[in-house]
Amino acid sequence: NKSDPNYKIISNIVDECFMPLSYGGGINSLDQAKKIFDFGVEKVIVGLNHGGIGIHIRLPPRTPAT
């Protein structure tokens, strides 16, 4: 059973952190990553594991519309 990341803790950390912040672990969908970006996290680290080989992808945050 996959559960969502603890959004409350992530939000609290972002509120107190005054430097670029990356988050990784427990992200299983683009909707989860989007929600984490919306809190202000700069990078989300997603691990894909196929046949024992781990691949980590760093997704850049969305840029604000101008």
Side-chain angles (χ1 to χ4, degrees):
N1 183 13
K2 302 281 184 181
S3 62
D4 284 342
N6 191 326
Y7 297 120
K8 183 169 178 56
I9 290 176
I10 296 168
S11 177
N12 289 340
I13 291 170
V14 169
D15 289 344
E16 297 295 325
C17 187
F18 299 102
M19 62 183 148
L21 184 66
S22 298
Y23 177 83
I27 300 168
N28 301 304
S29 72
L30 290 175
D31 289 335
Q32 290 175 332
K34 181 187 178 309
K35 190 167 186 174
I36 292 168
F37 281 134
D38 288 345
F39 288 130
V41 171
E42 182 180 276
K43 295 181 183 112
V44 172
I45 303 163
V46 180
L48 304 173
N49 192 346
H50 296 284
I53 300 170
I55 303 168
H56 298 279
I57 302 167
R58 295 175 92 158
L59 302 173
R62 295 179 303 133
T63 54
T66 54

